[in-house]
Amino acid sequence: MDGGGIQAAAAAAKGKGVDGEAAVTLEELRKRMADFAKERDWDQFHSPRNLLLAMVGEVGELSEIFQWRGEVPRGLPGWEARETEHLGEELADVLLYLVRLSDMCGVDLGKAALRKIGLNAIKHPVGKRHNTSSKKFARCSGSNGNAGSTTGDDKNEAVKEGDKEGALIG
Amino acid sequence: MDGGGIQAAAAAAKGKGVDGEAAVTLEELRKRMADFAKERDWDQFHSPRNLLLAMVGEVGELSEIFQWRGEVPRGLPGWEARETEHLGEELADVLLYLVRLSDMCGVDLGKAALRKIGLNAIKHPVGKRHNTSSKKFARCSGSNGNAGSTTGDDKNEAVKEGDKEGALIG
Amino acid sequence: MDGGGIQAAAAAAKGKGVDGEAAVTLEELRKRMADFAKERDWDQFHSPRNLLLAMVGEVGELSEIFQWRGEVPRGLPGWEARETEHLGEELADVLLYLVRLSDMCGVDLGKAALRKIGLNAIKHPVGKRHNTSSKKFARCSGSNGNAGSTTGDDKNEAVKEGDKEGALIG
Amino acid sequence: MDGGGIQAAAAAAKGKGVDGEAAVTLEELRKRMADFAKERDWDQFHSPRNLLLAMVGEVGELSEIFQWRGEVPRGLPGWEARETEHLGEELADVLLYLVRLSDMCGVDLGKAALRKIGLNAIKHPVGKRHNTSSKKFARCSGSNGNAGSTTGDDKNEAVKEGDKEGALIG
């Protein structure tokens, strides 16, 4: 949508790029899902937790595509067209439930995403060297009781290994 | 973006609705994430499986928000503003990794989503009564060996309980 | 295994209770999975991340069983025998991959579980009133950079809503 | 617990191996979790779906440990002791919620696991060559409507890519 002139504007107004390809908005997906559910009288099933569990189910199916492959290079070289198509379907499934879940929670997903990108940019300034040595033994001292938990919660006390590793490598 | 006229078109051309609100496109998020990673030299970490596991991590955080609440009504009545804001951040996190994962796999997520909505509409025609009795004992007879699996895979053999239930209720 | 005498001891030595029912140990499952993989020459596929993604896939299937049901009461009243059987299979699938993943990581899962129960007991003393008011605005001030992350990480900064809710209710 | 004699039997009767190490049974974990919840009056929070979402949260934390590492070799060479300890805690967290979830659903997890291993052995006979060519285009023709689903369900129609790949490699 970086074309100029009235043609681009008109095309964009229809949610399409100048070349006719869709510039799909989250709002469009939200509306389509809402219509889809309404037409089938499915609103009754679309409680937040139902949708969340449905999304977890789709994340599971997405994971199955990658489960026995070992590390997969970017761009998926060597994948057959139908494998990539299947992948697209599973990625879409996760997105569609995510969009619907956000809608049912009253969250504007697109706005939330832009806001989060802004927060991330503040948290991770460009050009700042990630000093991992100081983080390595960083612990959060915040108390964090959690009734109902049978496993406890060591997120705040334990070093965040995953983050640390990312930082170490980065 | 349902306003008419040149104003709407111009606004849309900038990726915004007439009222100034963002009509966030998946392409915009994709590009922002790509720039974000490039500026920080993080492309090296963004292999498909790394991103998938990062997304699973975010799905876990999203689930934690809902874990001790029991059933949650639509619209989240009674939630504090900051709880909803936190929820928006977790929903956004899942989306951002999903967008980035799709990009690294060479999948056009918006296009895939529209395509999947079309397939779903074919699979679930409006007004068609969901006959669950015939499905109740439906089994898939397709053979489906899976080396590497230590748990087996009863998806195709077992009745899909979740689906069946959805159908039963629906 | 709460029977006394030599009979119980002998039965237990065989990994069974006095009444003949299996007292299944994690070590037995670990060994069975190891033998299973070895006999099929599947060790080559069982890298930690492959197994983790396979487990995520099974968690997804487990979630599907619960996805359209709304809140489900304890004991699953009204479920058909075959629904519960299917549930048992999905629960088992998650366990089996978890056991295998632990084994491939060199972690003694049973020992880790007992240790964690001990840690949880220290963290959540019996009879201690869960004071949520002090926690409500508790934040962790620990710095926590994470290169590679495109979504940031607000776990330590954000109030842990899920935990807080658990605590609030509790 | 393959030692013989009265010593082994006595040790086993206490749930320990001859060498004094714990032979942790799923029943023991189940009972400990039940006592833990009862002592803290937490039974009220431990509905099946609450526990399932809590487990998904723990799977997310487990995934975070592996998210930026790329492929990880068996045995985790080069990991620091405290990284492995943290991993053990997350593996344990998943197990403990799984055990508790099974208990609240009335499922005997150990029995279900042994049963599933038996089913897997039937499904994947030792020495049987995995003929993937015949499976490659295998499709399941079983109808599978699912009301409530907004993403559709292509599990039975689509080739199971993950399984196929496992089979292809195997």
Side-chain angles (χ1 to χ4, degrees), chain A residues 116 120 123-124 140 146 150-151 153 155-156 163, chain C residues 116 120 123-124 140 146 150-151 153 156 160 163:
Chain A
K116 196 65 188 350
N120 293 344
K123 180 177 262 174
H124 304 287
C140 172
N146 49 343
T150 56
T151 68
D153 184 329
K155 260 171 312 212
N156 280 356
D163 297 339
Chain C
K116 196 64 187 347
N120 293 344
K123 179 177 261 172
H124 303 289
C140 173
N146 49 344
T150 55
T151 68
D153 184 328
N156 281 355
K160 306 297 300 302
D163 297 338

mmCIF file with all atom_site columns, all heavy atoms in Angstrom, chain A residues 116 120 123-124 140 146 150-151 153 155-156 163, chain C residues 116 120 123-124 140 146 150-151 153 156 160 163:
data_model
loop_
_atom_site.group_PDB
_atom_site.id
_atom_site.type_symbol
_atom_site.label_atom_id
_atom_site.label_alt_id
_atom_site.label_comp_id
_atom_site.label_asym_id
_atom_site.label_entity_id
_atom_site.label_seq_id
_atom_site.pdbx_PDB_ins_code
_atom_site.Cartn_x
_atom_site.Cartn_y
_atom_site.Cartn_z
_atom_site.occupancy
_atom_site.B_iso_or_equiv
_atom_site.pdbx_formal_charge
_atom_site.auth_seq_id
_atom_site.auth_comp_id
_atom_site.auth_asym_id
_atom_site.auth_atom_id
_atom_site.pdbx_PDB_model_num
ATOM 1   N N   . LYS A 1 116 ? 1.786  -2.675  21.981 1.00 0.00 ? 116 LYS A N   1
ATOM 2   C CA  . LYS A 1 116 ? 2.823  -3.582  22.505 1.00 0.00 ? 116 LYS A CA  1
ATOM 3   C C   . LYS A 1 116 ? 4.134  -3.405  21.744 1.00 0.00 ? 116 LYS A C   1
ATOM 4   O O   . LYS A 1 116 ? 5.212  -3.479  22.327 1.00 0.00 ? 116 LYS A O   1
ATOM 5   C CB  . LYS A 1 116 ? 2.348  -5.029  22.417 1.00 0.00 ? 116 LYS A CB  1
ATOM 6   C CG  . LYS A 1 116 ? 3.165  -5.985  23.266 1.00 0.00 ? 116 LYS A CG  1
ATOM 7   C CD  . LYS A 1 116 ? 2.989  -5.665  24.733 1.00 0.00 ? 116 LYS A CD  1
ATOM 8   C CE  . LYS A 1 116 ? 3.871  -6.399  25.713 1.00 0.00 ? 116 LYS A CE  1
ATOM 9   N NZ  . LYS A 1 116 ? 4.665  -7.475  25.306 1.00 0.00 ? 116 LYS A NZ  1
ATOM 10  N N   . ASN A 1 120 ? 7.640  -2.570  23.441 1.00 0.00 ? 120 ASN A N   1
ATOM 11  C CA  . ASN A 1 120 ? 8.829  -3.382  23.185 1.00 0.00 ? 120 ASN A CA  1
ATOM 12  C C   . ASN A 1 120 ? 10.000 -2.527  22.728 1.00 0.00 ? 120 ASN A C   1
ATOM 13  O O   . ASN A 1 120 ? 11.155 -2.780  23.087 1.00 0.00 ? 120 ASN A O   1
ATOM 14  C CB  . ASN A 1 120 ? 8.537  -4.446  22.123 1.00 0.00 ? 120 ASN A CB  1
ATOM 15  C CG  . ASN A 1 120 ? 7.555  -5.488  22.608 1.00 0.00 ? 120 ASN A CG  1
ATOM 16  O OD1 . ASN A 1 120 ? 7.303  -5.611  23.800 1.00 0.00 ? 120 ASN A OD1 1
ATOM 17  N ND2 . ASN A 1 120 ? 6.980  -6.235  21.675 1.00 0.00 ? 120 ASN A ND2 1
ATOM 18  N N   . LYS A 1 123 ? 11.483 -0.977  25.660 1.00 0.00 ? 123 LYS A N   1
ATOM 19  C CA  . LYS A 1 123 ? 12.198 -1.952  26.489 1.00 0.00 ? 123 LYS A CA  1
ATOM 20  C C   . LYS A 1 123 ? 13.506 -2.418  25.858 1.00 0.00 ? 123 LYS A C   1
ATOM 21  O O   . LYS A 1 123 ? 14.483 -2.713  26.553 1.00 0.00 ? 123 LYS A O   1
ATOM 22  C CB  . LYS A 1 123 ? 11.277 -3.155  26.744 1.00 0.00 ? 123 LYS A CB  1
ATOM 23  C CG  . LYS A 1 123 ? 11.897 -4.236  27.580 1.00 0.00 ? 123 LYS A CG  1
ATOM 24  C CD  . LYS A 1 123 ? 10.908 -5.355  27.845 1.00 0.00 ? 123 LYS A CD  1
ATOM 25  C CE  . LYS A 1 123 ? 10.268 -5.184  29.210 1.00 0.00 ? 123 LYS A CE  1
ATOM 26  N NZ  . LYS A 1 123 ? 9.193  -6.160  29.453 1.00 0.00 ? 123 LYS A NZ  1
ATOM 27  N N   . HIS A 1 124 ? 13.498 -2.499  24.556 1.00 0.00 ? 124 HIS A N   1
ATOM 28  C CA  . HIS A 1 124 ? 14.689 -2.974  23.854 1.00 0.00 ? 124 HIS A CA  1
ATOM 29  C C   . HIS A 1 124 ? 15.180 -1.915  22.878 1.00 0.00 ? 124 HIS A C   1
ATOM 30  O O   . HIS A 1 124 ? 14.959 -2.022  21.667 1.00 0.00 ? 124 HIS A O   1
ATOM 31  C CB  . HIS A 1 124 ? 14.373 -4.264  23.081 1.00 0.00 ? 124 HIS A CB  1
ATOM 32  C CG  . HIS A 1 124 ? 13.824 -5.346  23.939 1.00 0.00 ? 124 HIS A CG  1
ATOM 33  N ND1 . HIS A 1 124 ? 14.597 -6.054  24.830 1.00 0.00 ? 124 HIS A ND1 1
ATOM 34  C CD2 . HIS A 1 124 ? 12.576 -5.864  24.062 1.00 0.00 ? 124 HIS A CD2 1
ATOM 35  C CE1 . HIS A 1 124 ? 13.856 -6.952  25.457 1.00 0.00 ? 124 HIS A CE1 1
ATOM 36  N NE2 . HIS A 1 124 ? 12.626 -6.859  25.011 1.00 0.00 ? 124 HIS A NE2 1
ATOM 37  N N   . CYS A 1 140 ? 14.144 -11.629 40.850 1.00 0.00 ? 140 CYS A N   1
ATOM 38  C CA  . CYS A 1 140 ? 13.107 -10.690 41.248 1.00 0.00 ? 140 CYS A CA  1
ATOM 39  C C   . CYS A 1 140 ? 12.730 -11.007 42.673 1.00 0.00 ? 140 CYS A C   1
ATOM 40  O O   . CYS A 1 140 ? 12.418 -12.142 43.013 1.00 0.00 ? 140 CYS A O   1
ATOM 41  C CB  . CYS A 1 140 ? 11.899 -10.839 40.332 1.00 0.00 ? 140 CYS A CB  1
ATOM 42  S SG  . CYS A 1 140 ? 10.522 -9.877  40.903 1.00 0.00 ? 140 CYS A SG  1
ATOM 43  N N   . ASN A 1 146 ? 0.348  -17.302 45.499 1.00 0.00 ? 146 ASN A N   1
ATOM 44  C CA  . ASN A 1 146 ? -0.712 -17.642 44.565 1.00 0.00 ? 146 ASN A CA  1
ATOM 45  C C   . ASN A 1 146 ? -1.506 -18.845 45.043 1.00 0.00 ? 146 ASN A C   1
ATOM 46  O O   . ASN A 1 146 ? -1.149 -19.975 44.768 1.00 0.00 ? 146 ASN A O   1
ATOM 47  C CB  . ASN A 1 146 ? -0.183 -17.866 43.153 1.00 0.00 ? 146 ASN A CB  1
ATOM 48  C CG  . ASN A 1 146 ? 0.994  -18.780 43.115 1.00 0.00 ? 146 ASN A CG  1
ATOM 49  O OD1 . ASN A 1 146 ? 1.624  -19.011 44.134 1.00 0.00 ? 146 ASN A OD1 1
ATOM 50  N ND2 . ASN A 1 146 ? 1.272  -19.333 41.963 1.00 0.00 ? 146 ASN A ND2 1
ATOM 51  N N   . THR A 1 150 ? -0.867 -25.374 42.734 1.00 0.00 ? 150 THR A N   1
ATOM 52  C CA  . THR A 1 150 ? -0.319 -26.551 43.397 1.00 0.00 ? 150 THR A CA  1
ATOM 53  C C   . THR A 1 150 ? 1.121  -26.769 43.011 1.00 0.00 ? 150 THR A C   1
ATOM 54  O O   . THR A 1 150 ? 1.783  -27.639 43.519 1.00 0.00 ? 150 THR A O   1
ATOM 55  C CB  . THR A 1 150 ? -1.096 -27.823 43.025 1.00 0.00 ? 150 THR A CB  1
ATOM 56  O OG1 . THR A 1 150 ? -1.089 -27.936 41.604 1.00 0.00 ? 150 THR A OG1 1
ATOM 57  C CG2 . THR A 1 150 ? -2.501 -27.763 43.524 1.00 0.00 ? 150 THR A CG2 1
ATOM 58  N N   . THR A 1 151 ? 1.585  -25.994 42.085 1.00 0.00 ? 151 THR A N   1
ATOM 59  C CA  . THR A 1 151 ? 2.969  -26.188 41.666 1.00 0.00 ? 151 THR A CA  1
ATOM 60  C C   . THR A 1 151 ? 3.846  -25.041 42.106 1.00 0.00 ? 151 THR A C   1
ATOM 61  O O   . THR A 1 151 ? 5.045  -25.098 41.949 1.00 0.00 ? 151 THR A O   1
ATOM 62  C CB  . THR A 1 151 ? 3.078  -26.286 40.130 1.00 0.00 ? 151 THR A CB  1
ATOM 63  O OG1 . THR A 1 151 ? 2.755  -25.017 39.571 1.00 0.00 ? 151 THR A OG1 1
ATOM 64  C CG2 . THR A 1 151 ? 2.151  -27.334 39.600 1.00 0.00 ? 151 THR A CG2 1
ATOM 65  N N   . ASP A 1 153 ? 5.122  -21.078 41.949 1.00 0.00 ? 153 ASP A N   1
ATOM 66  C CA  . ASP A 1 153 ? 5.362  -20.210 40.813 1.00 0.00 ? 153 ASP A CA  1
ATOM 67  C C   . ASP A 1 153 ? 6.754  -19.647 40.998 1.00 0.00 ? 153 ASP A C   1
ATOM 68  O O   . ASP A 1 153 ? 6.992  -18.807 41.840 1.00 0.00 ? 153 ASP A O   1
ATOM 69  C CB  . ASP A 1 153 ? 4.337  -19.073 40.828 1.00 0.00 ? 153 ASP A CB  1
ATOM 70  C CG  . ASP A 1 153 ? 4.487  -18.189 39.614 1.00 0.00 ? 153 ASP A CG  1
ATOM 71  O OD1 . ASP A 1 153 ? 5.630  -18.059 39.124 1.00 0.00 ? 153 ASP A OD1 1
ATOM 72  O OD2 . ASP A 1 153 ? 3.480  -17.641 39.180 1.00 0.00 ? 153 ASP A OD2 1
ATOM 73  N N   . LYS A 1 155 ? 8.416  -18.204 38.615 1.00 0.00 ? 155 LYS A N   1
ATOM 74  C CA  . LYS A 1 155 ? 8.746  -17.296 37.517 1.00 0.00 ? 155 LYS A CA  1
ATOM 75  C C   . LYS A 1 155 ? 9.536  -16.093 37.995 1.00 0.00 ? 155 LYS A C   1
ATOM 76  O O   . LYS A 1 155 ? 10.457 -15.655 37.351 1.00 0.00 ? 155 LYS A O   1
ATOM 77  C CB  . LYS A 1 155 ? 7.469  -16.807 36.847 1.00 0.00 ? 155 LYS A CB  1
ATOM 78  C CG  . LYS A 1 155 ? 7.166  -17.541 35.583 1.00 0.00 ? 155 LYS A CG  1
ATOM 79  C CD  . LYS A 1 155 ? 5.802  -17.165 35.099 1.00 0.00 ? 155 LYS A CD  1
ATOM 80  C CE  . LYS A 1 155 ? 4.828  -17.247 36.232 1.00 0.00 ? 155 LYS A CE  1
ATOM 81  N NZ  . LYS A 1 155 ? 3.491  -17.619 35.830 1.00 0.00 ? 155 LYS A NZ  1
ATOM 82  N N   . ASN A 1 156 ? 9.099  -15.542 39.103 1.00 0.00 ? 156 ASN A N   1
ATOM 83  C CA  . ASN A 1 156 ? 9.753  -14.323 39.548 1.00 0.00 ? 156 ASN A CA  1
ATOM 84  C C   . ASN A 1 156 ? 11.019 -14.586 40.337 1.00 0.00 ? 156 ASN A C   1
ATOM 85  O O   . ASN A 1 156 ? 11.871 -13.729 40.449 1.00 0.00 ? 156 ASN A O   1
ATOM 86  C CB  . ASN A 1 156 ? 8.789  -13.477 40.378 1.00 0.00 ? 156 ASN A CB  1
ATOM 87  C CG  . ASN A 1 156 ? 7.848  -12.714 39.480 1.00 0.00 ? 156 ASN A CG  1
ATOM 88  O OD1 . ASN A 1 156 ? 8.000  -12.777 38.261 1.00 0.00 ? 156 ASN A OD1 1
ATOM 89  N ND2 . ASN A 1 156 ? 6.904  -12.014 40.045 1.00 0.00 ? 156 ASN A ND2 1
ATOM 90  N N   . ASP A 1 163 ? 14.873 -16.297 28.683 1.00 0.00 ? 163 ASP A N   1
ATOM 91  C CA  . ASP A 1 163 ? 15.214 -14.913 28.375 1.00 0.00 ? 163 ASP A CA  1
ATOM 92  C C   . ASP A 1 163 ? 16.715 -14.732 28.432 1.00 0.00 ? 163 ASP A C   1
ATOM 93  O O   . ASP A 1 163 ? 17.325 -14.124 27.573 1.00 0.00 ? 163 ASP A O   1
ATOM 94  C CB  . ASP A 1 163 ? 14.544 -13.982 29.382 1.00 0.00 ? 163 ASP A CB  1
ATOM 95  C CG  . ASP A 1 163 ? 13.038 -14.083 29.282 1.00 0.00 ? 163 ASP A CG  1
ATOM 96  O OD1 . ASP A 1 163 ? 12.568 -14.527 28.226 1.00 0.00 ? 163 ASP A OD1 1
ATOM 97  O OD2 . ASP A 1 163 ? 12.358 -13.727 30.233 1.00 0.00 ? 163 ASP A OD2 1
ATOM 98  N N   . LYS C 1 116 ? 9.786  -30.420 44.010 1.00 0.00 ? 116 LYS C N   1
ATOM 99  C CA  . LYS C 1 116 ? 8.932  -29.255 43.762 1.00 0.00 ? 116 LYS C CA  1
ATOM 100 C C   . LYS C 1 116 ? 7.775  -29.196 44.757 1.00 0.00 ? 116 LYS C C   1
ATOM 101 O O   . LYS C 1 116 ? 7.383  -28.116 45.197 1.00 0.00 ? 116 LYS C O   1
ATOM 102 C CB  . LYS C 1 116 ? 8.396  -29.299 42.323 1.00 0.00 ? 116 LYS C CB  1
ATOM 103 C CG  . LYS C 1 116 ? 7.827  -27.960 41.845 1.00 0.00 ? 116 LYS C CG  1
ATOM 104 C CD  . LYS C 1 116 ? 8.917  -26.914 41.798 1.00 0.00 ? 116 LYS C CD  1
ATOM 105 C CE  . LYS C 1 116 ? 8.499  -25.493 41.511 1.00 0.00 ? 116 LYS C CE  1
ATOM 106 N NZ  . LYS C 1 116 ? 7.209  -25.200 41.024 1.00 0.00 ? 116 LYS C NZ  1
ATOM 107 N N   . ASN C 1 120 ? 6.971  -26.084 47.088 1.00 0.00 ? 120 ASN C N   1
ATOM 108 C CA  . ASN C 1 120 ? 5.638  -25.477 47.129 1.00 0.00 ? 120 ASN C CA  1
ATOM 109 C C   . ASN C 1 120 ? 5.106  -25.380 48.557 1.00 0.00 ? 120 ASN C C   1
ATOM 110 O O   . ASN C 1 120 ? 4.453  -24.393 48.924 1.00 0.00 ? 120 ASN C O   1
ATOM 111 C CB  . ASN C 1 120 ? 4.655  -26.294 46.281 1.00 0.00 ? 120 ASN C CB  1
ATOM 112 C CG  . ASN C 1 120 ? 4.969  -26.228 44.810 1.00 0.00 ? 120 ASN C CG  1
ATOM 113 O OD1 . ASN C 1 120 ? 5.727  -25.358 44.369 1.00 0.00 ? 120 ASN C OD1 1
ATOM 114 N ND2 . ASN C 1 120 ? 4.415  -27.145 44.043 1.00 0.00 ? 120 ASN C ND2 1
ATOM 115 N N   . LYS C 1 123 ? 6.640  -22.486 50.134 1.00 0.00 ? 123 LYS C N   1
ATOM 116 C CA  . LYS C 1 123 ? 6.118  -21.229 49.589 1.00 0.00 ? 123 LYS C CA  1
ATOM 117 C C   . LYS C 1 123 ? 4.687  -20.946 50.046 1.00 0.00 ? 123 LYS C C   1
ATOM 118 O O   . LYS C 1 123 ? 4.300  -19.792 50.216 1.00 0.00 ? 123 LYS C O   1
ATOM 119 C CB  . LYS C 1 123 ? 6.178  -21.296 48.059 1.00 0.00 ? 123 LYS C CB  1
ATOM 120 C CG  . LYS C 1 123 ? 5.649  -20.061 47.378 1.00 0.00 ? 123 LYS C CG  1
ATOM 121 C CD  . LYS C 1 123 ? 5.801  -20.163 45.868 1.00 0.00 ? 123 LYS C CD  1
ATOM 122 C CE  . LYS C 1 123 ? 7.027  -19.415 45.419 1.00 0.00 ? 123 LYS C CE  1
ATOM 123 N NZ  . LYS C 1 123 ? 7.335  -19.624 44.001 1.00 0.00 ? 123 LYS C NZ  1
ATOM 124 N N   . HIS C 1 124 ? 3.926  -21.985 50.189 1.00 0.00 ? 124 HIS C N   1
ATOM 125 C CA  . HIS C 1 124 ? 2.519  -21.822 50.580 1.00 0.00 ? 124 HIS C CA  1
ATOM 126 C C   . HIS C 1 124 ? 2.256  -22.558 51.893 1.00 0.00 ? 124 HIS C C   1
ATOM 127 O O   . HIS C 1 124 ? 1.676  -23.649 51.887 1.00 0.00 ? 124 HIS C O   1
ATOM 128 C CB  . HIS C 1 124 ? 1.598  -22.379 49.495 1.00 0.00 ? 124 HIS C CB  1
ATOM 129 C CG  . HIS C 1 124 ? 1.808  -21.753 48.160 1.00 0.00 ? 124 HIS C CG  1
ATOM 130 N ND1 . HIS C 1 124 ? 1.433  -20.468 47.879 1.00 0.00 ? 124 HIS C ND1 1
ATOM 131 C CD2 . HIS C 1 124 ? 2.379  -22.233 47.035 1.00 0.00 ? 124 HIS C CD2 1
ATOM 132 C CE1 . HIS C 1 124 ? 1.742  -20.177 46.614 1.00 0.00 ? 124 HIS C CE1 1
ATOM 133 N NE2 . HIS C 1 124 ? 2.323  -21.229 46.092 1.00 0.00 ? 124 HIS C NE2 1
ATOM 134 N N   . CYS C 1 140 ? 7.590  -6.695  40.320 1.00 0.00 ? 140 CYS C N   1
ATOM 135 C CA  . CYS C 1 140 ? 8.961  -7.137  40.418 1.00 0.00 ? 140 CYS C CA  1
ATOM 136 C C   . CYS C 1 140 ? 9.834  -6.102  39.747 1.00 0.00 ? 140 CYS C C   1
ATOM 137 O O   . CYS C 1 140 ? 9.611  -5.743  38.605 1.00 0.00 ? 140 CYS C O   1
ATOM 138 C CB  . CYS C 1 140 ? 9.130  -8.476  39.733 1.00 0.00 ? 140 CYS C CB  1
ATOM 139 S SG  . CYS C 1 140 ? 10.831 -8.975  39.658 1.00 0.00 ? 140 CYS C SG  1
ATOM 140 N N   . ASN C 1 146 ? 15.721 -9.192  27.290 1.00 0.00 ? 146 ASN C N   1
ATOM 141 C CA  . ASN C 1 146 ? 15.663 -10.458 26.579 1.00 0.00 ? 146 ASN C CA  1
ATOM 142 C C   . ASN C 1 146 ? 15.773 -10.262 25.076 1.00 0.00 ? 146 ASN C C   1
ATOM 143 O O   . ASN C 1 146 ? 14.787 -10.035 24.392 1.00 0.00 ? 146 ASN C O   1
ATOM 144 C CB  . ASN C 1 146 ? 14.399 -11.251 26.921 1.00 0.00 ? 146 ASN C CB  1
ATOM 145 C CG  . ASN C 1 146 ? 13.156 -10.408 26.831 1.00 0.00 ? 146 ASN C CG  1
ATOM 146 O OD1 . ASN C 1 146 ? 13.235 -9.189  26.799 1.00 0.00 ? 146 ASN C OD1 1
ATOM 147 N ND2 . ASN C 1 146 ? 12.023 -11.051 26.755 1.00 0.00 ? 146 ASN C ND2 1
ATOM 148 N N   . THR C 1 150 ? 10.543 -10.495 20.463 1.00 0.00 ? 150 THR C N   1
ATOM 149 C CA  . THR C 1 150 ? 9.920  -9.429  19.693 1.00 0.00 ? 150 THR C CA  1
ATOM 150 C C   . THR C 1 150 ? 8.676  -8.908  20.384 1.00 0.00 ? 150 THR C C   1
ATOM 151 O O   . THR C 1 150 ? 8.081  -7.945  19.952 1.00 0.00 ? 150 THR C O   1
ATOM 152 C CB  . THR C 1 150 ? 9.498  -9.911  18.300 1.00 0.00 ? 150 THR C CB  1
ATOM 153 O OG1 . THR C 1 150 ? 8.659  -11.043 18.463 1.00 0.00 ? 150 THR C OG1 1
ATOM 154 C CG2 . THR C 1 150 ? 10.695 -10.270 17.469 1.00 0.00 ? 150 THR C CG2 1
ATOM 155 N N   . THR C 1 151 ? 8.301  -9.575  21.424 1.00 0.00 ? 151 THR C N   1
ATOM 156 C CA  . THR C 1 151 ? 7.090  -9.121  22.099 1.00 0.00 ? 151 THR C CA  1
ATOM 157 C C   . THR C 1 151 ? 7.402  -8.515  23.449 1.00 0.00 ? 151 THR C C   1
ATOM 158 O O   . THR C 1 151 ? 6.526  -7.986  24.103 1.00 0.00 ? 151 THR C O   1
ATOM 159 C CB  . THR C 1 151 ? 6.106  -10.285 22.340 1.00 0.00 ? 151 THR C CB  1
ATOM 160 O OG1 . THR C 1 151 ? 6.671  -11.161 23.304 1.00 0.00 ? 151 THR C OG1 1
ATOM 161 C CG2 . THR C 1 151 ? 5.808  -11.019 21.067 1.00 0.00 ? 151 THR C CG2 1
ATOM 162 N N   . ASP C 1 153 ? 8.669  -8.784  27.397 1.00 0.00 ? 153 ASP C N   1
ATOM 163 C CA  . ASP C 1 153 ? 8.369  -9.738  28.446 1.00 0.00 ? 153 ASP C CA  1
ATOM 164 C C   . ASP C 1 153 ? 7.898  -8.937  29.635 1.00 0.00 ? 153 ASP C C   1
ATOM 165 O O   . ASP C 1 153 ? 8.655  -8.280  30.319 1.00 0.00 ? 153 ASP C O   1
ATOM 166 C CB  . ASP C 1 153 ? 9.639  -10.508 28.799 1.00 0.00 ? 153 ASP C CB  1
ATOM 167 C CG  . ASP C 1 153 ? 9.336  -11.582 29.812 1.00 0.00 ? 153 ASP C CG  1
ATOM 168 O OD1 . ASP C 1 153 ? 8.434  -11.374 30.637 1.00 0.00 ? 153 ASP C OD1 1
ATOM 169 O OD2 . ASP C 1 153 ? 9.991  -12.621 29.766 1.00 0.00 ? 153 ASP C OD2 1
ATOM 170 N N   . ASN C 1 156 ? 7.541  -10.004 34.627 1.00 0.00 ? 156 ASN C N   1
ATOM 171 C CA  . ASN C 1 156 ? 8.015  -9.518  35.906 1.00 0.00 ? 156 ASN C CA  1
ATOM 172 C C   . ASN C 1 156 ? 7.502  -8.125  36.228 1.00 0.00 ? 156 ASN C C   1
ATOM 173 O O   . ASN C 1 156 ? 7.476  -7.735  37.376 1.00 0.00 ? 156 ASN C O   1
ATOM 174 C CB  . ASN C 1 156 ? 9.547  -9.534  35.943 1.00 0.00 ? 156 ASN C CB  1
ATOM 175 C CG  . ASN C 1 156 ? 10.046 -10.942 36.199 1.00 0.00 ? 156 ASN C CG  1
ATOM 176 O OD1 . ASN C 1 156 ? 9.239  -11.836 36.439 1.00 0.00 ? 156 ASN C OD1 1
ATOM 177 N ND2 . ASN C 1 156 ? 11.344 -11.138 36.137 1.00 0.00 ? 156 ASN C ND2 1
ATOM 178 N N   . LYS C 1 160 ? 0.874  -10.231 38.086 1.00 0.00 ? 160 LYS C N   1
ATOM 179 C CA  . LYS C 1 160 ? 0.499  -11.537 37.606 1.00 0.00 ? 160 LYS C CA  1
ATOM 180 C C   . LYS C 1 160 ? -0.990 -11.746 37.860 1.00 0.00 ? 160 LYS C C   1
ATOM 181 O O   . LYS C 1 160 ? -1.381 -12.173 38.931 1.00 0.00 ? 160 LYS C O   1
ATOM 182 C CB  . LYS C 1 160 ? 1.313  -12.617 38.314 1.00 0.00 ? 160 LYS C CB  1
ATOM 183 C CG  . LYS C 1 160 ? 2.797  -12.386 38.223 1.00 0.00 ? 160 LYS C CG  1
ATOM 184 C CD  . LYS C 1 160 ? 3.274  -12.436 36.784 1.00 0.00 ? 160 LYS C CD  1
ATOM 185 C CE  . LYS C 1 160 ? 2.949  -13.801 36.221 1.00 0.00 ? 160 LYS C CE  1
ATOM 186 N NZ  . LYS C 1 160 ? 3.539  -14.879 36.968 1.00 0.00 ? 160 LYS C NZ  1
ATOM 187 N N   . ASP C 1 163 ? -2.212 -15.239 38.979 1.00 0.00 ? 163 ASP C N   1
ATOM 188 C CA  . ASP C 1 163 ? -1.834 -15.560 40.340 1.00 0.00 ? 163 ASP C CA  1
ATOM 189 C C   . ASP C 1 163 ? -2.647 -14.717 41.311 1.00 0.00 ? 163 ASP C C   1
ATOM 190 O O   . ASP C 1 163 ? -3.141 -15.203 42.300 1.00 0.00 ? 163 ASP C O   1
ATOM 191 C CB  . ASP C 1 163 ? -0.351 -15.272 40.541 1.00 0.00 ? 163 ASP C CB  1
ATOM 192 C CG  . ASP C 1 163 ? 0.482  -16.164 39.644 1.00 0.00 ? 163 ASP C CG  1
ATOM 193 O OD1 . ASP C 1 163 ? -0.028 -17.211 39.230 1.00 0.00 ? 163 ASP C OD1 1
ATOM 194 O OD2 . ASP C 1 163 ? 1.627  -15.808 39.377 1.00 0.00 ? 163 ASP C OD2 1
#
